[in-house]
Amino acid sequence: MTQQTATSQPEGSQPNRLICEKSPYLLQHAHNPVDWYAWGPEAFEAAARENKPIFLSIGYATCHWCHVMERESFEDGQVAALMNEAFISIKVDREERPDIDQVYMRVCQMLTGSGGWPLTILMTPDKRPFFAGTYLPKGDRFGQMGMLHLIPRTRELWQERHGDILKSAEEIIAALEKVSPVSAGEMTASTLDAAFEELGSRFDSEHGGFGRAPKFPTPHTLLFLLRYWKRTGSQLALEMTEKTLCAMRRGGIYDHVGFGFHRYSTDAEWLAPHFEKMLYDQALLTMAYSEAYQATRKEEYARTTREILEYVSRMLTSPESGFFSAEDADSEGEEGKFYLWRKDEIHLILAPEEAALVVQAFNVSRQGNFVEQGRADGSGENILHQTATLPNIAAGLGISEEELESRWGAARQKLFARREKRVHPLLDDKVLTDWNGLMIAALANAAQSLNEPRYAEAAQRAADFILERMRAPGGGLLHRYREGQAAVAGNLDDYVFMAWGLIELYEANFNVKNLEAAIELNAYAHEHFWDKQTGGFYFTADNQEEVLIRAREIYDGAVPSGNSVALLNLLRLARMTGREDLEEKAAQLVTAFGASIKQSPAAYTQWMVALDFATGPAFEVVVSGDPQAEDTRAMLKALRSEYLPSKVILLRPGGQGTNEIIRLAGFTRDQAMLDGKATAYVCQNFRCHLPTTDIQQMMEFLHTGKL
């Protein structure tokens, strides 16, 4: 295969300052004729010295429209000459510096009513914005101002109406400081009902998912619905979850040949994806499918989980065991080119019987279904997708499901081998701590639900890498690693997502160092990110670079917010350690944002996951026994085989291991084995059942909650 890299550049082009950076996105622009700076003192000092405004451009390596704007404008000599004369130009990777992106995206949304990437900001040398937009064409187009118009107009205003620009920047900052998503209030179980009703009103009963096109996976919404089903017995909650999971798995948003999910669907049917693949989507969707398997025991969900993790292992795992960030949507300058198939191509690759199966099962036609790629002879490219279930496809072909799966498996391998010879999309090979935390959590979750220890082993290797190689001198976390260099101060998501992963990993392998590390990261977050005035966590720490304002994020978007993940971490750690101070901190966090979240709870589904745990019933289970003994293993397997999301599990293993867990969870001191047998101690709402060596009785306690 040919893998595109961030350093692939036109021959003979001269590099700019970005050539010294590690970010794949910045390196993509390192040979532009624009005199780019990276974010830092050098750029701001130059802007002040030369009395120039700053052109801030924010994007990321796998952003399609970022590539388009680069080709149209930043690689264009005319545009570059104007930019170099009028501006000090700064390029920022939003994934490397989410703290910068977060603030200026908020500015863009406030000024324009929308946002997106590439994000374009014009600002003063002291970082105060006075203009915001997203993608800008080279020339004016359909009423939209282009770069050739914007640049000279800005230069004219900067020179002739400088005072007006400064006044506008001051007004924007003042308005920004007043904008707050935060208002205090209480949340109760009724908030869960409101979130469910809101999701039900937006559910697409025909195609699955929520709302209209474009459709995003938002797996944490499905995690909430599964918990709501478990809490209430609502079949509608389960139906919405399963309809969405099945539709995504069978649609074009799923890579049927190489596995893994694309970013989102551009249509309501999950057919035509935006083709980039992000690590965080793979992680969160792994959790959704593995939990759905626990809840339903349907093999399709287990198979999808394994396939996602096979893709992550093959394409997104670094030699050092961390996880890379993403694969681009584009290859050879065309979006989706790597993933599309012509009908005649399939017939050339496969035997007639195999080709017939693929054509029928995956809706392949001569004219194709990807309209951008139509050919002069009328043939077109196809996105492989299923519109029928496996049993129906098998019945249509007159074969059994087993035979269908066997034939498709052989055909898929041939298609995969042929596709590997194509030019691959860019691999964004930076390692981000927060997204790695999500992937560690997903692997540990799958290890438990599928009874696959190898997934926990991969998660442990990644956790060890992050905790050993991505540490700051003062003991905190660093955000980004690439080519041997760890840099950029960690943000809230780095700490709480890693703590999430470590909590899940502890429950998968009961390595006490994982629980201890989760407790330490939680403590660091409280010390440096907690708002001591009104509660909640800031996105940036009190000991790192300041960027205009310190924001507290609560919206659960493509990934959950740091505050919502922190809430569940606090609750779980409180129950695992018996620490009332953590329980109290969780209560303060709920109150800090309660009124805001209650206005539209379906926008905060990871909060609803945590609130479900907080309102109970939730259980603490201590298993006392030799982890290698058959009875202990059987007891743990029973706990993991059923869908019981509102529980924490501790292992009191005996020997030195007992001392280690007692040090973190003192209440386990007296929870020893009975008669030398594996023993379960099940507690709920600060009350405990009598210990039992009987697995069936343990499960009855968990199902009924009765003493």
Side-chain angles (χ1 to χ4, degrees):
M1 72 177 183
T2 303
Q3 181 76 58
Q4 291 180 301
T5 66
T7 53
S8 300
Q9 298 292 346
E11 292 185 10
S13 58
Q14 293 299 312
N16 55 47
R17 292 176 184 82
L18 300 184
I19 198 67
C20 298
E21 297 298 313
K22 290 294 185 182
S23 159
Y25 178 62
L26 269 55
L27 288 169
Q28 286 173 350
H29 295 76
H31 288 256
N32 295 165
V34 177
D35 188 17
W36 290 115
Y37 287 78
W39 181 279
E42 182 186 6
F44 299 111
E45 290 168 3
R49 183 175 61 251
E50 299 177 26
N51 189 28
K52 288 182 177 180
I54 289 170
F55 183 98
L56 174 64
S57 178
I58 303 177
Y60 56 102
T62 59
C63 166
H64 173 71
W65 286 103
C66 299
H67 301 330
V68 173
M69 190 167 177
E70 180 188 15
R71 289 194 296 268
E72 284 189 350
S73 295
F74 303 146
E75 292 179 352
D76 182 86
Q78 181 184 10
V79 173
L82 290 172
M83 290 180 66
N84 295 339
E85 185 177 6
F87 301 125
I88 294 298
S89 299
I90 298 177
K91 179 62 73 170
V92 166
D93 181 343
R94 68 171 293 261
E95 295 170 354
E96 185 176 74
R97 293 299 305 266
D99 53 336
I100 298 169
D101 174 66
Q102 186 183 85
V103 170
Y104 290 105
M105 182 58 72
R106 184 171 292 185
V107 169
C108 184
Q109 291 168 337
M110 183 178 70
L111 294 181
T112 71
S114 62
W117 299 275
L119 175 61
T120 303
I121 300 288
L122 302 183
M123 61 187 187
T124 64
D126 57 357
K127 307 175 187 177
R128 292 179 295 169
F130 58 86
F131 170 89
T134 53
Y135 162 77
L136 298 174
K138 177 181 175 181
D140 294 355
R141 185 185 302 164
F142 304 120
Q144 181 182 15
M145 183 186 300
M147 293 288 285
L148 293 178
H149 184 173
L150 173 70
I151 300 168
R153 178 60 176 158
T154 303
R155 188 180 185 200
E156 177 186 347
L157 292 173
W158 184 261
Q159 293 173 345
E160 298 180 5
R161 299 177 60 184
H162 192 71
D164 292 343
I165 286 181
L166 295 182
K167 182 180 179 181
S168 175
E170 290 173 1
E171 291 172 350
I172 290 170
I173 294 298
L176 189 64
E177 290 173 342
K178 292 179 181 178
V179 175
S180 173
V182 177
S183 55
E186 296 298 328
M187 288 189 289
T188 64
S190 64
T191 312
L192 302 174
D193 298 329
F196 171 69
E197 291 171 6
E198 189 177 341
L199 289 170
S201 69
R202 292 167 39 208
F203 179 64
D204 182 344
S205 59
E206 182 178 1
H207 303 296
F210 302 88
R212 302 176 180 178
K215 280 186 177 173
F216 292 81
T218 54
H220 30 296
T221 294
L222 306 179
L223 295 176
F224 162 63
L225 287 173
L226 283 171
R227 283 158 176 76
Y228 192 81
W229 162 73
K230 184 68 177 179
R231 164 182 291 274
T232 66
S234 167
Q235 286 303 305
L236 178 57
L238 184 61
E239 288 169 11
M240 287 194 288
T241 303
E242 291 204 74
K243 177 74 174 180
T244 303
L245 288 172
C246 290
M248 290 192 300
R249 172 62 175 80
R250 296 166 191 169
I253 193 175
Y254 188 69
D255 179 0
H256 294 273
V257 172
F259 305 148
F261 279 88
H262 298 297
R263 180 67 198 92
Y264 62 86
S265 176
T266 61
D267 54 64
E269 294 81 15
W270 304 103
L271 167 61
H274 179 45
F275 286 93
E276 65 185 324
K277 291 181 177 179
M278 311 300 294
L279 177 65
Y280 59 77
D281 282 322
Q282 315 312 317
L284 293 166
L285 283 162
T286 293
M287 294 185 212
Y289 281 97
S290 63
E291 289 198 9
Y293 173 69
Q294 269 188 318
T296 67
R297 312 309 292 182
K298 292 182 180 179
E299 185 57 33
E300 182 177 8
Y301 304 140
R303 182 170 61 250
T304 304
T305 301
R306 293 187 182 98
E307 289 178 358
I308 297 171
L309 295 179
E310 180 181 329
Y311 163 72
V312 170
S313 175
R314 173 174 19 95
M315 290 304 305
L316 298 182
T317 303
S318 77
E320 296 149 305
S321 298
F323 299 107
F324 296 140
S325 294
E327 281 195 290
D328 201 349
D330 297 10
S331 57
E332 301 182 83
E334 296 180 16
E335 181 175 6
K337 184 174 182 178
F338 181 75
Y339 299 101
L340 302 171
W341 300 93
R342 297 191 316 278
K343 184 176 181 180
D344 59 355
E345 183 183 15
I346 288 174
H347 279 282
L348 285 172
I349 298 168
L350 303 178
E353 189 177 69
E354 293 173 327
L357 182 152
V358 172
V359 166
Q360 181 169 339
F362 292 94
N363 299 282
V364 176
S365 65
R366 184 176 181 277
Q367 65 271 23
N369 55 30
F370 190 67
V371 295
E372 289 89 340
Q373 298 295 321
R375 293 170 175 264
D377 64 359
S379 66
E381 308 280 356
N382 288 272
I383 303 165
L384 300 187
H385 69 289
Q386 296 173 281
T387 52
T389 63
L390 283 179
N392 288 341
I393 294 170
L397 294 168
I399 58 177
S400 67
E401 286 186 58
E402 293 75 14
E403 178 68 14
L404 173 64
E405 290 183 10
S406 176
R407 289 188 189 181
W408 163 237
R412 189 196 70 81
Q413 289 287 355
K414 293 179 182 179
L415 293 174
F416 179 79
R418 175 60 65 92
R419 199 177 77 174
E420 282 294 280
K421 297 178 181 179
R422 299 176 179 176
V423 175
H424 274 243
L426 166 80
L427 175 67
D428 185 342
D429 60 352
K430 66 180 180 293
V431 175
L432 299 176
T433 296
D434 50 352
W435 296 3
N436 271 251
L438 293 177
M439 197 67 238
I440 290 165
L443 283 160
N445 186 298
Q448 297 174 71
S449 63
L450 302 183
N451 193 28
E452 291 275 10
R454 62 193 173 106
Y455 295 142
E457 292 166 4
Q460 188 67 66
R461 290 192 295 270
D464 291 343
F465 170 77
I466 299 293
L467 294 175
E468 292 170 8
R469 302 291 297 277
M470 298 187 69
R471 287 283 199 180
L477 291 173
L478 294 171
H479 176 62
R480 185 268 294 150
Y481 176 94
R482 186 171 184 267
E483 294 183 342
Q485 183 200 78
V488 184
N491 58 63
L492 176 64
D493 291 0
D494 293 315
Y495 288 88
V496 300
F497 288 8
M498 267 303 296
W500 183 7
L502 290 163
I503 293 168
E504 293 282 353
L505 186 52
Y506 169 75
E507 291 193 329
N509 64 12
F510 298 109
N511 187 332
V512 176
K513 75 174 185 179
N514 294 320
L515 180 57
E516 187 170 29
I519 294 169
E520 290 175 356
L521 294 179
N522 182 74
Y524 189 100
H526 176 254
E527 180 179 357
H528 292 288
F529 293 86
W530 183 258
D531 180 350
K532 297 176 178 61
Q533 300 299 316
T534 57
F537 292 95
Y538 288 113
F539 186 74
T540 53
D542 58 8
N543 57 356
Q544 67 187 78
E545 177 189 358
E546 295 184 15
V547 285
L548 287 183
I549 61 169
R550 291 182 74 195
R552 294 181 296 169
E553 290 296 323
I554 59 174
Y555 173 64
D556 294 323
V559 296
S561 73
N563 274 286
S564 63
V565 173
L567 175 58
L568 186 56
N569 288 349
L570 283 165
L571 292 165
R572 294 174 75 185
L573 289 174
R575 305 300 171 87
M576 296 173 96
T577 62
R579 287 176 51 183
E580 293 183 6
D581 63 313
L582 298 181
E583 193 93 22
E584 177 60 29
K585 190 63 63 180
Q588 293 174 19
L589 186 53
V590 169
T591 301
F593 303 113
S596 298
I597 291 171
K598 285 172 68 175
Q599 292 176 10
S600 182
Y604 308 95
T605 48
Q606 184 65 30
W607 277 96
M608 297 303 104
V609 167
L611 183 62
D612 176 78
F613 189 104
T615 54
F619 299 90
E620 305 92 52
V621 184
V622 178
V623 174
S624 183
D626 179 355
Q628 303 304 318
E630 187 61 37
D631 58 349
T632 304
R633 293 160 70 93
M635 188 168 279
L636 292 173
K637 183 177 180 181
L639 286 169
R640 292 164 171 167
S641 63
E642 292 196 33
Y643 182 62
L644 300 166
S646 294
K647 71 178 187 312
V648 295
I649 306 174
L650 293 169
L651 178 66
R652 189 181 184 278
Q656 180 60 33
T658 295
N659 295 332
E660 291 178 352
I661 196 63
I662 289 174
R663 179 169 52 85
L664 299 179
F667 66 87
T668 64
R669 183 180 304 277
D670 300 320
Q671 295 177 331
M673 289 189 289
L674 300 179
D675 302 322
K677 298 178 181 178
T679 305
Y681 294 78
V682 180
C683 301
Q684 176 194 3
N685 295 332
F686 311 103
R687 298 178 301 162
C688 295
H689 295 273
L690 293 173
T692 180
T693 60
D694 184 273
I695 292 176
Q696 184 174 348
Q697 188 174 45
M698 173 188 71
M699 299 307 294
E700 184 177 345
F701 289 162
L702 291 168
H703 286 305
T704 65
K706 294 180 180 179
L707 291 171

